[in-house]
């Protein structure tokens, strides 16, 4: 089961949602893989901290290593699992991002490598019970690769009026990709993040989305400074503060999503 978390708008909570849902999944005993397709590497830093660039040559590592070998010698190809790292959490694994993803993108695009992530993940189907893919805030080669490789897409929505405008073009992009490359991709839900129940606008925006027929998840995530703190500490919020209100909302969201799969 592979979920991609995508919204081309920046800062809406893609990384926070990817890593925290994945951490819950791992804590439940499911072998869970996070794939960080964003050159910013925020999921990578969140889950394993700062990386020693000398010890880990960027081109041979993680997502970059995996893609790089698709344009190299066929004889030298390694199993996709050899690019996966362990994290400090049991059952939680990471295919880390790399600063070279930007320079690699043009070559991958020009050589039609858009299906290679899907192929690699098919090889890992037996290894991992759940895959969570974090994407960059762009509809680029990497986010398209992820939408092609995934079974479902979660769309974080941060309740401002610009977010609503960008949602329309986002849904158009997803629909076109479904039509052209992955008809089985399911829009699993719009995840309301940084919801403020005291203010009028967020509630109105969400109600409008529901009226327009968007599949809004019924669990909303509130704003909390604890989230930033957990990023700074390189520990998923759900591990760092297990009884915090926002953690409980993540657990509820997880149960909502997994409950529908049964
Ligand atoms: N529910 C929340 N409460 C408080 N802060 C949050 C919440 N969700 C996310 N944030 C904060 O908002 C910022 C953006 O979140 P995050 O990095 O998860 O978004 P993103 O969509 O992955 O961003 P980008 O598009 O840059 O990759 C971070 O500083 C994060 O700590
Ligand atoms: Mg991010």
């Amino acid at each position: 089961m592979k979920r991609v978390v995508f919204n081309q708008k920046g800062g809406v909570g893609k990384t926070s949602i990817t890593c925290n849902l994945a951490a819950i999944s791992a804590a439940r005993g499911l072998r869970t893989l996070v794939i960080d397709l964003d050159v910013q590497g925020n999921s990578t830093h969140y889950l394993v901290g700062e990386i020693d660039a000398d010890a880990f040559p960027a081109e041979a590592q993680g997502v970059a290593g995996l893609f790089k070998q698709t344009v190299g010698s066929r004889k030298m190809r390694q199993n996709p699992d050899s690019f996966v790292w362990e994290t400090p959490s049991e059952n939680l694994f990471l295919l880390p991002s790399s600063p070279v993803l930007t320079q690699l993108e043009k070559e991958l695009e020009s050589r039609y490598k858009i299906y290679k992530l899907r192929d690699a993940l098919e090889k890992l189907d037996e290894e991992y019970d759940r895959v969570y893919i974090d994407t960059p805030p762009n509809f680029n080669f990497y986010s398209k690769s992820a939408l092609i490789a995934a079974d479902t897409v979660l769309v974080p929505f941060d309740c401002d009026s610009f977010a609503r405008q960008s949602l329309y073009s986002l849904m158009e992009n997803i629909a076109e990709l479904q039509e052209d490359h992955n008809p089985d991709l399911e829009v699993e839900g719009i995840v309301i993040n940084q919801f403020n129940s005291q203010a009028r606008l967020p509630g109105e925006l969400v109600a409008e989305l529901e009226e327009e027929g968007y599949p809004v998840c019924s669990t909303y995530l509130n704003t909390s400074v604890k989230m930033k703190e957990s990023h700074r500490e390189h520990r998923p919020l759900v591990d760092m503060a297990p009884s915090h209100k926002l953690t409980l909302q993540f657990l509820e969201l997880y149960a909502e999503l997994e409950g529908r799969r049964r």
Side-chain angles (χ1 to χ4, degrees):
M1 162 74 196
K2 289 159 270 198
R3 290 194 166 97
V4 52
V5 182
F6 179 57
N7 189 327
Q8 55 214 31
K9 184 167 183 281
V12 292
K14 294 180 286 294
T15 299
S16 304
I17 291 168
T18 303
C19 293
N20 281 287
L21 290 179
I24 295 170
S25 163
R28 298 280 159 93
L30 298 175
R31 278 177 66 88
T32 304
L33 175 65
V34 170
I35 303 179
D36 186 357
L37 287 181
D38 185 1
V39 69
Q40 298 179 97
N42 292 343
S43 278
T44 300
H45 298 140
Y46 194 13
L47 296 179
V48 297
E50 297 306 323
I51 295 161
D52 177 356
D54 296 333
F56 299 103
E59 295 202 356
Q61 289 299 320
V63 170
L66 184 79
F67 275 115
K68 187 103 189 154
Q69 70 170 0
T70 70
V71 292
S73 156
R74 303 177 71 83
K75 282 198 201 116
M76 302 295 282
R77 290 198 187 151
Q78 301 171 40
N79 186 294
D81 215 21
S82 63
F83 298 99
V84 172
W85 292 4
E86 290 185 350
T87 74
S89 307
E90 199 180 347
N91 293 321
L92 188 59
F93 300 86
L94 172 70
L95 200 49
S97 166
S98 152
V100 303
L101 287 181
T102 307
Q103 75 195 54
L104 206 54
E105 186 175 354
K106 272 207 180 70
E107 186 178 9
L108 293 170
E109 211 155 26
S110 67
R111 293 175 66 174
Y112 306 105
K113 302 297 179 183
I114 199 85
Y115 293 106
K116 290 298 172 186
L117 183 66
R118 182 175 78 182
D119 295 348
L121 293 188
E122 273 169 10
K123 293 203 178 87
L124 294 179
D125 263 350
E126 301 280 294
E127 292 296 321
Y128 300 98
D129 303 306
R130 294 289 181 278
V131 176
Y132 284 86
I133 312 176
D134 187 17
T135 51
N138 300 300
F139 193 53
N140 68 4
F141 171 85
Y142 296 111
S143 44
K144 283 180 203 164
S145 290
L147 290 160
I148 289 171
D151 301 310
T152 73
V153 52
L154 289 175
V155 177
F157 180 84
D158 68 351
C159 298
D160 78 30
S161 41
F162 295 120
R164 182 154 165 221
Q165 283 163 21
S166 76
L167 194 66
Y168 295 126
S169 64
L170 169 69
M171 296 315 255
E172 276 293 308
N173 285 340
I174 291 177
E176 188 177 340
L177 183 130
Q178 281 170 318
E179 195 177 294
D180 294 345
H181 302 284
N182 187 3
D184 295 332
L185 178 71
E186 175 197 338
V187 180
E188 198 174 10
I190 293 175
V191 178
I192 306 300
N193 187 32
Q194 306 235 39
F195 186 73
N196 177 358
S197 54
Q198 310 295 322
R200 198 170 45 90
L201 182 66
E204 284 177 5
L205 278 173
V206 174
E208 280 167 24
L209 293 184
E210 282 172 337
E211 273 165 30
E212 288 174 59
Y214 285 106
V216 179
C217 292
S218 47
T219 315
Y220 303 169
L221 302 169
N222 282 156
T223 302
S224 165
V225 290
K226 274 268 181 235
M227 180 58 87
K228 278 200 171 60
E229 226 177 287
S230 81
H231 279 266
R232 262 202 311 275
E233 289 206 10
H234 309 297
R235 259 188 98 186
L237 172 88
V238 295
D239 292 341
M240 189 187 85
S243 48
H244 191 272
K245 186 175 172 203
L246 185 52
T247 295
L248 302 182
Q249 291 170 339
F250 269 109
L251 290 169
E252 205 179 313
L253 175 64
Y254 178 87
E256 180 183 342
L257 296 172
E258 288 289 319
R260 292 192 208 146
R261 308 269 125 213
R262 289 199 198 104

